[in-house]
Amino acid sequence: MPITIPKLFQMKKEGKKIAALTAYDYPFARILDENGVHIILVGDSVGNVIQGNANTLPVTMDEMIYHTKMVSRGVANAMVIGDMPFMSYQTGIETAIFNAGRFLKETGASAVKLEGGAAVSHVIKAITRASIPVQAHIGLTPQSIHQMGGHKVQRDEDRLLNDAKEVEEAGAFSVVLEGIPLDIAAKITEALSIPTIGIGAGPHCDGQILVLHDMMGLNPGHKARFVKAYANLRESASIGISDYIKEVEKGVFPGPEHCYS
Ligand code: KIV
């Protein structure tokens, strides 16, 4: 059954947790969808985990459209959300509506996500009035990395609660809570009627999201405290690739079963 906004609201009401993950391409989107993930976010984290950038700032609208199209092709049921990249919604309402509209018109996504609280509530309002559902994103917002002075946990309770209420009031259908203490996330979740989706925000949110390549063990190096690795695909891929190289070098591959007579 396709996941819709009313379905997400119902899940919150019934206390059923929402499982969300990011994806950037067709094969992973298929695996996520076939396993019943509720939301697939085509995150601008593509800039880090796929493009190898230090942060999400260089990601462009055209790149997001490209990845979101690939993801949508692999999805039958999950809600696909396209992430609005840096400078695609900050420079003016018309540009923001136009870019948000591109996700729905060109990619098969059914909603967009954008970062910011009270400061962008007028943008959220304008986009939702154009019949484009918006997921908000507050707390640690990676597009503000320079303003925040790094990826820092956000602890200003009054500001976070105000941001959450403002984005709900503006019409957001859901809000991502990133990098905030679990007790503040619990208060926000309690205070809002829209579902909260946490990443580094503790267990009391209505749902959770992780970056796929982090939780699949595809990223070597530093792992944030909130990331749990559910698989080690990097190791599995390394084993397969080194076995292939050895077999080619020894002349073991291709065997008779891989040849045409
Ligand atoms: O870009 C992204 O992957 C995100 C999630 C971390 C919520 O914004």
Side-chain angles (χ1 to χ4, degrees):
M1 273 257 287
I3 301 294
T4 58
I5 293 172
K7 171 78 184 162
L8 295 176
F9 275 71
Q10 189 191 338
M11 288 177 79
K12 174 166 177 123
K13 213 165 141 197
E14 292 172 358
K16 290 190 181 144
K17 295 284 189 185
I18 298 163
L21 282 171
T22 67
Y24 317 95
D25 61 26
Y26 174 79
F28 270 123
R30 276 193 71 173
I31 297 171
L32 265 52
D33 193 58
E34 284 164 10
N35 281 285
V37 77
H38 302 110
I39 294 175
I40 299 179
L41 170 71
V42 188
D44 65 353
S45 50
V46 70
N48 305 93
V49 299
I50 301 292
Q51 298 175 342
N53 291 311
N55 56 53
T56 58
L57 303 186
V59 177
T60 67
M61 259 311 290
D62 286 343
E63 287 164 352
M64 290 307 303
I65 295 289
Y66 173 75
H67 285 281
T68 311
K69 273 185 190 171
M70 290 194 279
V71 166
S72 291
R73 281 185 211 122
V75 174
N77 291 314
M79 174 184 283
V80 176
I81 303 180
D83 205 4
M84 298 195 68
F86 184 56
M87 284 299 125
S88 68
Y89 58 94
Q90 289 91 341
T91 58
I93 295 288
E94 269 186 34
T95 312
I97 298 173
F98 177 79
N99 283 326
R102 285 192 67 192
F103 280 103
L104 270 62
K105 244 179 138 55
E106 298 176 35
T107 73
S110 53
V112 299
K113 177 175 83 58
L114 58 84
E115 294 182 11
V120 294
S121 60
H122 63 296
V123 183
I124 295 173
K125 199 173 201 166
I127 295 176
T128 52
R129 278 199 180 154
S131 301
I132 302 165
V134 178
Q135 181 176 61
H137 181 164
I138 65 168
L140 194 171
T141 45
Q143 289 175 18
S144 309
I145 181 174
H146 297 306
Q147 207 166 32
M148 292 182 306
H151 289 102
K152 294 194 173 143
V153 175
Q154 303 296 299
R155 300 177 185 279
D156 183 340
E157 183 172 333
D158 290 343
R159 181 173 171 207
L160 289 164
L161 262 165
N162 183 54
D163 279 342
K165 285 182 183 156
E166 289 252 358
V167 298
E168 176 174 68
E169 182 69 29
F173 73 90
S174 164
V175 57
V176 170
L177 308 180
E178 178 165 356
I180 69 176
L182 60 100
D183 55 325
I184 300 180
K187 282 184 194 160
I188 294 173
T189 301
E190 177 72 27
L192 298 190
S193 56
I194 58 173
T196 59
I197 309 293
I199 172 162
H204 307 301
C205 302
D206 297 307
Q208 298 292 327
I209 186 162
L210 283 174
V211 169
L212 182 68
H213 288 55
D214 293 341
M215 57 86 75
M216 286 285 101
L218 276 164
N219 262 339
H222 170 74
K223 200 156 55 65
R225 178 184 169 91
F226 60 79
V227 174
K228 178 170 174 184
Y230 285 84
N232 193 343
L233 293 195
R234 194 166 199 277
E235 191 177 294
S236 308
S238 285
I239 292 168
I241 289 162
S242 66
D243 285 352
Y244 166 76
I245 294 168
K246 278 181 215 141
E247 289 198 0
V248 168
E249 285 173 347
K250 285 185 192 149
V252 173
F253 177 82
E257 70 275 29
H258 307 115
C259 298
Y260 302 105
S261 52

